[in-house]
Amino acid sequence: MRYNDLSVSALTPTNESDERDASWIDAFGGVRFTSVADRWIFTGRADVGAGGSSFAWFANAGVSYGLSELTWLSAGYRALSVDFEDGSGRD
């Protein structure tokens, strides 16, 4: 389960302000992996789901290199997409 809680505040060119809040829960399923080779660690995760949203997906990948026993250099990328729509027009 993934809980989403969003709050948006906007100021229009005519200085009108507007705020919207939304929260929902999506059920999801996915895969995760970790691979260790010498001083390298590779990780990844991907999932898809729906519920309060029409469709949502998440993916991340990372790599770490052990410089020493206590020091690691890591890099990664993460992406999340959520198709959620509530109301119409300004609602």
Side-chain angles (χ1 to χ4, degrees), residues 34-38 40-42:
T34 301
S35 175
V36 179
D38 195 25
W40 292 92
I41 298 176
F42 300 94

Side-chain angles (χ1 to χ4, degrees), residues 37-80:
D38 195 25
R39 292 179 165 225
W40 292 92
I41 298 176
F42 300 94
T43 60
R45 177 181 154 195
D47 63 53
V48 295
S53 69
S54 297
F55 182 72
W57 63 266
F58 170 84
N60 79 312
V63 61
S64 298
Y65 179 75
L67 300 172
S68 70
E69 193 172 314
L70 298 175
T71 306
W72 289 81
L73 182 61
S74 298
Y77 183 78
R78 177 180 293 185
L80 171 66

